[in-house]
Amino acid sequence: MSAKLIRGTEIRDEILKEIKGEVDRIKEEHGVVPGLVTILVGENPASVSYVTSKIRTAQSLGYKEVQDSQPEDIKEEDLLSLIDKYNKDDSIHGILVQLPLPKQIDEKKVLNTIDPDKDVDGFHPVNVGRLMIGGGEVKFPPCTPAGIQELIVRSGVETEGAEVVVVGRSNIVGKPIANILLQKAPGANATVTVAHTRTKDLAYHCKRADILVVAAGVPGLVKPEWIKPGACVIDVGVNRVGEKISEKTGKKIAILKGDVDFDKAKEIAGYITPVPGGVGPMTITMLMKNTLNSLKFHLGIA
Ligand code: NAD
């Protein structure tokens, strides 16, 4: 059997089109557009490239996009006052501080300073709590896990009553996706197990999974024989395993592999995400959706 490929790029395009339609309608009816500020401290090349993609996507959707670049040696108190300025700015509905931050800055303090009602990354403790409570409380689910749920649901995979096994318990992926899929809600209602480095028999748990979400950051961790025939496999892992010359640009690019041996796993799974091109494109997409939702909450039309 050969699995159905879950193409993140196609699902991303579908969602961005829906967002653009809503942005145009809200602009016409209310005369406002979503406002997103991205605060970038220093010039970490990976962060610069990620922020550039965010800006490009926001602009293509007609958002008000503010890029606020700050020097590497910015004082913590100055960064906190900057965030406070955007907390008070009514034209800004989403504030994103690109991580990692330089050593002199306490990341936790920074994230806790963002107004929870503008925290479109969903990392503020208030939003983590809202996600845990579920239902109408949820405002901003973290972007990568929210994107994973979209991939599963839009591919027509049944979550209700499904055995979900999540490998990884990070605050960014593992814990929130487990939380999302166990909620009493459409596109959820699953029975969820979270496995991690101290799990005794990882193979046993993976073999039970109707939906297997792997977010460990270990290339090839999940063996093909651990996959239940017909299961939906979501490979979140992005691991640089070497370099190659790009056929398009002639420049050196990283060779990326997931946490699952894709070539063998696709012969057993029913659905599978590729790496790259699976989960990756969903993160920025869901950031745009959270920012749009923030505007809708603000207007009282959510
Ligand atoms: P993390 O390092 O914070 O967490 C990894 C988790 O995996 C830990 O909880 C750990 O317990 C578990 N783990 C590690 N090795 C294991 C093993 N051998 N057996 C069982 N469990 C094990 O990582 P993260 O931030 O959650 O990211 C995980 C992966 O997903 C990384 O490859 C990262 O690059 C990728 N990622 C991709 C996206 C995206 O595509 N948009 C977003 C976030 C993370």
Side-chain angles (χ1 to χ4, degrees):
M1 187 172 100
S2 199
K4 181 174 181 290
L5 205 58
I6 302 180
R7 293 179 203 275
T9 43
E10 280 176 14
I11 295 177
R12 170 197 63 195
D13 292 347
E14 194 178 301
I15 297 174
L16 289 179
K17 203 170 153 203
E18 292 166 10
I19 293 177
K20 182 79 171 80
E22 274 208 79
V23 170
D24 292 347
R25 186 179 52 78
I26 291 173
K27 189 176 175 186
E28 210 175 293
E29 289 173 12
H30 299 270
V32 282
V33 295
L36 174 68
V37 60
T38 308
I39 302 175
L40 175 65
V41 179
E43 288 172 0
N44 173 323
S47 296
V48 171
S49 133
Y50 194 52
V51 164
T52 308
S53 277
K54 283 175 188 168
I55 294 169
R56 220 178 280 143
T57 309
Q59 285 172 344
S60 74
L61 294 171
Y63 285 26
K64 170 181 170 174
E65 217 309 313
V66 179
Q67 204 220 317
D68 195 327
S69 295
Q70 294 294 325
E72 181 85 26
D73 61 355
I74 187 173
K75 284 192 195 137
E76 186 181 272
E77 63 199 78
D78 292 337
L79 184 58
L80 298 183
S81 336
L82 187 68
I83 293 170
D84 203 42
K85 182 186 95 173
Y86 290 117
N87 280 342
K88 292 180 182 134
D89 182 339
D90 285 342
S91 70
I92 295 295
H93 310 98
I95 301 172
L96 191 138
V97 180
Q98 185 62 43
L99 303 178
L101 290 166
K103 283 190 209 81
Q104 78 276 13
I105 294 170
D106 180 348
E107 226 165 74
K108 213 162 148 188
K109 235 184 196 170
V110 167
L111 296 180
N112 289 358
T113 302
I114 299 173
D115 177 349
D117 290 340
K118 295 190 178 187
D119 167 42
V120 284
D121 249 345
F123 296 148
H124 191 289
V126 166
N127 284 317
V128 176
R130 285 169 169 165
L131 187 73
M132 190 86 177
I133 296 166
E137 292 293 321
V138 184
K139 274 204 153 164
F140 305 121
C143 302
T144 302
I148 293 171
Q149 186 186 32
E150 290 282 358
L151 291 178
I152 295 171
V153 171
R154 289 182 188 242
S155 301
V157 174
E158 182 58 83
T159 56
E160 180 137 350
E163 288 286 341
V164 171
V165 175
V166 177
V167 182
R169 57 177 163 186
S170 73
N171 289 330
I172 296 173
V173 189
K175 282 189 213 160
I177 188 59
N179 227 323
I180 287 172
L181 293 176
L182 66 77
Q183 294 297 336
K184 190 170 183 174
N189 278 321
T191 303
V192 182
T193 303
V194 182
H196 46 77
T197 39
R198 303 295 171 93
T199 295
K200 278 189 187 146
D201 188 346
L202 187 60
Y204 162 77
H205 290 287
C206 291
K207 281 177 188 170
R208 291 190 300 109
D210 300 315
I211 300 173
L212 181 60
V213 180
V214 192
V218 181
L221 173 68
V222 170
K223 310 289 171 247
E225 59 273 22
W226 297 1
I227 293 167
K228 183 173 171 178
C232 169
V233 178
I234 306 289
D235 190 352
V236 191
V238 180
N239 306 292
R240 288 169 166 262
V241 294
E243 283 183 335
K244 62 177 180 185
I245 303 292
S246 160
E247 281 174 22
K248 266 194 209 157
T249 62
K251 287 184 186 164
K252 258 192 201 170
I253 52 166
I255 301 173
L256 301 177
K257 289 257 185 246
D259 290 349
V260 179
D261 179 345
F262 177 82
D263 289 332
K264 289 188 184 139
K266 77 176 190 327
E267 299 305 321
I268 303 162
Y271 298 81
I272 192 164
T273 56
V275 177
V279 175
M282 297 303 292
T283 302
I284 292 179
T285 308
M286 300 317 289
L287 176 74
M288 298 302 139
K289 191 158 183 181
N290 277 351
T291 308
L292 168 64
N293 283 341
S294 180
L295 170 62
K296 287 163 69 178
F297 291 129
H298 178 80
L299 293 171
I301 57 167

